[in-house]
Amino acid sequence: MRPTSSWRMSLGSILFKKVKWQTYLSEAGLFLLVYLLWLFVSVPEWPVRPYVGALGIVVPLITAAFLTLAIRAEMPVSFHRGYLVLSLSFVFWALGHFFRLYEWLLMSQPILPPLAFSLADILNAVAYPFFFVALLLYPEKHRFFPSRFRFTLDAVLSAGVVAVLAWMTIARPALETVGSALRTVVPFVYPLADLVLLMVLFSASLAKSILGRSIFSFGLGLVAFFISDYVYAYQAMIQAYRPGGFESLGWIVGGLAFGLAVAFQAEAPVSFANASDSPEVLAEPAARLQNILPFVLMIALIWFLFMDWQWRGSPFFPGLLMALVLGLGLIVRLGVRAGELELYKYWQLFSALAEPVFLCDREGRLLLANPALRRAVGLNEEEIVSRLLTDFFCGDSVTSDLLSRAAIRPILVEARFCSSGLPCLLSLSPIFLNIRRTLIAGAAYDIHEQKAQQQALERAYHDLQQVSNRLEELNAQLEARVAERTRTLQEAYARLEEQNRMLRELDLLKSDFVSMVSHELRTPLTSLRGGLELLLSRTDVSPSDRATLELMKGQADRLAHFVENVLNLSSLEAGKLSPHLEPVDLALLIQDVLRTFSHVAGVERIQLQLSHDLPLVLADEHFLHSVLSQLLDNALKYAPEGPIWVEADLIRSRVRVRVTDCGPGIPVEKRPFLFERFQRLHASDSQTVYGYGLGLYLARQLLRAHKSDLRYEAPPEGGSRFVFFLQAVQ
């Protein structure tokens, strides 16, 4: 932080944070009470009374100016310019009243002629524009530029109407009585200016977020100033003004009220972080009043001019001229309003963009920024505008050369936010307004996730490279040791190399086999099974050859069954195999399944218990055939003795199918893994019953494709039972 800012903040913390508005109000009341007592006990002819009166006016104004400067550093940045100008207006008022006393003392000397206007008049006249500018500089609720311009135009138009009406009703009658000399006209400017400031304050209160207590205090101060200024103008007109009288109360109360308004505002400053960017909220009464106020005042001015014309018999040409000028201003306002509503659509689009977007000149000075950019850099609009891009993007990513090139053609460059350090892709594109001026539109796209992924990939590649190098080193060391220890076994080593080559070829063949199994394996197996069946059908085959052929056919069937399961499972998991639901006769399907098991040993143990009123079921015949085949094959293999029951009955609108065997059952600890892939009761290859642990898993997946499920039950008499349900056709 700069030393000047530190000094301001320390001054504000010392002078203001210890003085609350309640304390200031009590001290102001005490000051006013003491001054009133002085007015009552003092005699107008006392020589010291004018000095005390002037001091009573100057002290509140200087105090208000000093408080304004002291708390300026404690306020948001958007308030700084307005508070500086406001403090200057208080200072000029104080100086004007001080020099008014000095000039009154000089004018009391008979050797000096009366002046048309003096230094005090000049200082007071300067204070009013400063106060007016301070009100205009107060931060507004609306960041939308056409809205801000319209609000300023409304304030000027309303103040102009009030100035004309005040002149016609207050100043003109008095001047018509005593003449229109310049020295009598100047004092009447003060009450008119007070009314104009009151109107501007009212307009500002509609367009800006000034606290209600502050508005009341500022308004009270201007009303008090108006009373004293009007009394002073009348006394100056009849040359009866004397400082230090009761007419000074208005200026004293006004100065105290101004200081109280600053104290109110400083204790609860307004934040515009969540202010709306819309041109106005139509539901707000303040916005509606702000919209119609200039028209109402203009109508009142025209009506008053015509009434004055009718009453006096002649028009007031300055008033008519001002009405014409203000009418032209209203026409301009209508154009601004129409343009505002049209531009608001684009402004809303600009503000709603999720990515930071901005507009700058060729030197990189920001002219406009959307809320996303303000959030990215952690600053408000007033703190961003007029700053350079280099203040927000770190490193040498944004340079004057880059901006010069961006003013000619679009450019993409990687940059990094200084506030958060997040990387972004900065897009800069030229906007050609005219031959002499070119702006640059920019957008910053967040790429920190892409950068993080890129860094993770680079780290993974680096780690993989290190592992590869280490493996190469270990492989070299291993080869050296093997070469050293197996020099006498060159022939065995050569055979080992040959076997290794063959294994690599087999591994490649295995990969090719897996990739082509869905297209190439099923057809050869079908041909092989058909050939074996053809050989078995011949009558000239010897018993020993027939046994061999039957063994080969059994193995081919087992392999085909395994391939079928794998292909079905892969298709299901890939979403390429979906059931074709149609009415199926379950009894006929079970008979067809039994026919496929006719050559299997133990098939005679399968017993059917089917309900006589069994309806058709809605299923995929191929899927259901595979499910029943898996369950029966599982029962025949793992329950070598005892009957196997296949039951089917109707329960409400569903058909229940149960397959029960008299085998050893499933141990409790194995049941949670029963329907998982490659899970078997015994994994040893030395057993006589072989399997791959896919049957039950595939059966469940096929049933789930039917929106059903397969569950296991342990009958009380022993064995295993598998149950599933199918939708009956009504």
Side-chain angles (χ1 to χ4, degrees):
M1 184 179 292
R2 295 179 296 180
T4 305
S5 300
S6 302
W7 177 82
R8 289 174 182 169
M9 292 188 67
S10 60
L11 180 64
S13 61
I14 292 173
L15 296 178
F16 182 73
K17 284 191 175 180
K18 296 180 180 179
V19 181
K20 302 296 183 181
W21 68 266
Q22 296 91 341
T23 306
Y24 179 86
L25 182 60
S26 61
E27 293 175 353
L30 181 62
F31 181 86
L32 184 61
L33 180 62
V34 171
Y35 186 79
L36 286 172
L37 291 175
W38 161 257
L39 289 178
F40 281 110
V41 301
S42 64
V43 178
E45 290 76 16
W46 283 6
V48 74
R49 182 163 175 165
Y51 298 99
V52 174
L55 185 64
I57 299 172
V58 170
V59 168
L61 290 171
I62 293 296
T63 303
F66 193 65
L67 281 177
T68 306
L69 288 176
I71 67 172
R72 177 172 172 264
E74 305 292 336
M75 302 293 287
V77 178
S78 56
F79 288 77
H80 286 187
R81 290 189 300 168
Y83 268 53
L84 178 61
V85 177
L86 183 63
S87 64
L88 290 176
S89 68
F90 297 152
V91 170
F92 280 115
W93 265 321
L95 292 175
H97 284 284
F98 174 78
F99 280 101
R100 181 177 291 169
L101 171 66
Y102 178 72
E103 291 166 355
W104 178 82
L105 293 174
L106 292 179
M107 294 295 295
S108 63
Q109 303 296 328
I111 59 175
L112 294 177
L115 301 177
F117 57 89
S118 61
L119 180 61
D121 295 325
I122 295 175
L123 293 173
N124 281 318
V126 172
Y128 285 99
F130 272 87
F131 196 93
F132 176 77
V133 173
L135 291 177
L136 294 184
L137 289 178
Y138 193 90
E140 302 184 6
K141 293 184 293 186
H142 306 282
R143 299 189 184 95
F144 188 52
F145 176 76
S147 295
R148 291 186 292 179
F149 177 74
R150 178 170 58 85
F151 292 148
T152 303
L153 184 60
D154 287 347
V156 173
L157 293 175
S158 301
V161 172
V162 170
V164 175
L165 290 175
W167 181 266
M168 295 177 64
T169 56
I170 297 176
R172 189 177 61 167
L175 295 176
E176 289 175 350
T177 303
V178 299
S180 57
L182 187 59
R183 63 188 180 87
T184 59
V185 172
V186 171
F188 278 98
V189 174
Y190 300 144
L192 268 65
D194 295 329
L195 292 176
V196 168
L197 287 184
L198 272 172
M199 191 67 244
V200 174
L201 177 66
F202 180 71
S203 299
S205 67
L206 296 178
K208 311 181 181 196
S209 292
I210 305 178
L211 291 178
R213 294 181 299 181
S214 296
I215 296 174
F216 177 78
S217 297
F218 277 124
L220 176 62
L222 291 175
V223 170
F225 263 47
F226 169 77
I227 295 173
S228 288
D229 285 336
Y230 185 79
V231 173
Y232 165 72
Y234 180 77
Q235 290 178 346
M237 181 180 65
I238 63 176
Q239 298 182 359
Y241 173 69
R242 180 181 178 84
F246 281 93
E247 71 279 352
S248 302
L249 283 175
W251 293 318
I252 295 174
V253 172
L256 296 175
F258 291 152
L260 183 61
V262 173
F264 280 143
Q265 186 65 40
E267 189 151 330
V270 178
S271 174
F272 297 96
N274 298 320
S276 173
D277 281 332
S278 62
E280 65 179 338
V281 182
L282 297 179
E284 293 182 358
R288 294 199 298 267
L289 181 58
Q290 172 71 18
N291 200 25
I292 66 173
L293 182 61
F295 295 96
V296 174
L297 291 176
M298 191 64 190
I299 293 173
L301 175 61
I302 294 174
W303 175 83
F304 189 83
L305 286 171
F306 278 102
M307 292 298 297
D308 180 77
W309 187 352
Q310 183 178 4
W311 181 61
R312 291 175 176 268
S314 62
F316 183 59
F317 288 103
L320 292 176
L321 180 61
M322 284 297 300
L324 178 61
V325 173
L326 295 174
L328 294 176
L330 281 179
I331 295 175
V332 173
R333 182 193 182 278
L334 291 175
V336 171
R337 177 61 175 166
E340 173 189 359
L341 295 177
E342 183 66 24
L343 287 176
Y344 172 60
K345 296 183 290 185
Y346 303 100
W347 173 266
Q348 191 176 34
L349 175 63
F350 176 80
S351 301
L353 290 175
E355 298 293 343
V357 180
F358 58 87
L359 191 68
C360 66
D361 58 16
R362 296 173 66 101
E363 288 74 29
R365 194 172 305 279
L366 284 175
L367 305 176
L368 199 62
N370 72 335
L373 180 62
R374 300 197 290 269
R375 290 191 298 267
V377 300
L379 299 174
N380 57 35
E381 183 181 16
E382 291 77 11
E383 295 171 328
I384 288 180
V385 173
S386 299
R387 293 181 62 177
L388 297 175
L389 283 179
T390 53
D391 296 337
F392 307 116
F393 296 100
C394 302
D396 299 330
S397 56
V398 180
T399 61
S400 57
D401 179 65
L402 176 71
L403 293 173
S404 299
R405 288 186 284 115
I408 301 174
R409 63 182 183 276
I411 288 179
L412 287 175
V413 63
E414 288 190 10
R416 188 176 295 273
F417 285 107
C418 296
S419 57
S420 60
L422 292 176
C424 64
L425 183 63
L426 192 60
S427 172
L428 301 175
S429 302
I431 298 178
F432 302 103
L433 299 181
N434 49 48
I435 299 176
R436 297 183 178 180
R437 190 179 185 194
T438 301
L439 301 181
I440 298 175
Y445 302 98
D446 185 6
I447 58 172
H448 78 277
E449 293 185 0
Q450 292 86 335
K451 283 290 185 181
Q453 294 175 0
Q454 180 182 356
Q455 293 175 0
L457 289 175
E458 290 177 353
R459 288 194 299 269
Y461 177 78
H462 179 69
D463 295 342
L464 183 61
Q465 189 67 30
Q466 289 183 339
V467 171
S468 177
N469 294 337
R470 182 58 180 165
L471 287 176
E472 289 180 0
E473 293 176 3
L474 293 176
N475 189 32
Q477 295 174 7
L478 181 61
E479 288 179 356
R481 292 178 182 178
V482 170
E484 182 180 356
R485 296 180 182 181
T486 59
R487 291 176 183 174
T488 59
L489 301 176
Q490 294 296 327
E491 185 178 350
Y493 181 76
R495 289 198 300 269
L496 183 61
E497 284 289 326
E498 181 65 20
Q499 291 176 0
N500 190 27
R501 183 186 64 79
M502 294 175 63
L503 287 175
R504 288 196 297 268
E505 292 179 355
L506 288 175
D507 185 65
L508 181 60
L509 289 174
K510 180 200 71 174
S511 300
D512 294 340
F513 170 77
V514 172
S515 63
M516 297 188 314
V517 66
S518 61
H519 302 289
E520 302 295 337
L521 188 58
R522 188 180 293 178
T523 300
L525 283 175
T526 303
S527 301
L528 179 61
R529 293 169 65 189
L532 291 174
E533 289 178 356
L534 184 61
L535 290 175
L536 287 173
S537 64
R538 295 175 58 178
T539 57
D540 57 345
V541 180
S542 62
S544 60
D545 292 340
R546 182 176 295 276
T548 303
L549 291 174
E550 289 179 349
L551 178 61
M552 292 173 62
K553 184 178 182 303
Q555 295 300 321
D557 291 340
R558 188 166 69 89
L559 181 59
H561 183 62
F562 172 70
V563 170
E564 185 72 19
N565 289 343
V566 171
L567 293 178
N568 287 338
L569 184 59
S570 300
S571 299
L572 277 174
E573 293 178 345
K576 298 179 180 179
L577 186 61
S578 58
H580 177 64
L581 302 179
E582 59 183 357
V584 176
D585 191 331
L586 184 60
L588 294 179
L589 181 63
I590 294 174
Q591 294 294 336
D592 184 59
V593 173
L594 292 179
R595 281 194 295 272
T596 61
F597 281 86
S598 59
H599 63 283
V600 179
V603 69
E604 67 279 357
R605 295 187 290 117
I606 300 176
Q607 300 182 17
L608 302 180
Q609 293 184 359
L610 308 179
S611 177
H612 65 279
D613 57 348
L614 197 64
L616 299 178
V617 295
L618 191 64
D620 186 300
E621 186 174 356
H622 177 69
F623 280 19
L624 192 55
H625 191 285
S626 179
V627 170
L628 292 172
S629 299
Q630 298 289 352
L631 295 178
L632 291 176
D633 180 68
N634 196 64
L636 290 171
K637 286 194 297 184
Y638 294 102
E641 297 180 357
I644 299 172
W645 290 279
V646 179
E647 304 171 82
D649 54 355
L650 179 64
I651 298 179
R652 290 187 291 274
S653 62
R654 296 193 301 169
V655 174
R656 181 180 63 179
V657 181
R658 299 189 293 180
V659 178
T660 309
D661 61 53
C662 297
I666 307 298
V668 177
E669 65 275 8
K670 292 285 187 177
R671 293 175 186 175
F673 313 102
L674 183 61
F675 295 104
E676 295 184 4
R677 288 182 293 182
F678 307 111
Q679 293 293 329
R680 305 188 62 218
L681 293 179
H682 304 286
S684 174
D685 290 334
S686 62
Q687 58 188 332
T688 58
V689 177
Y690 290 98
Y692 305 99
L694 290 175
L696 292 178
Y697 175 79
L698 178 61
R700 167 172 271 190
Q701 297 304 316
L702 292 175
L703 286 172
R704 285 182 174 177
H706 287 78
K707 297 183 179 180
S708 181
D709 200 0
L710 179 64
R711 72 169 186 265
Y712 170 81
E713 295 179 355
E717 62 274 11
S720 300
R721 176 180 294 153
F722 294 92
V723 183
F724 63 89
F725 290 85
L726 296 173
Q727 183 67 39
V729 177
Q730 301 296 331

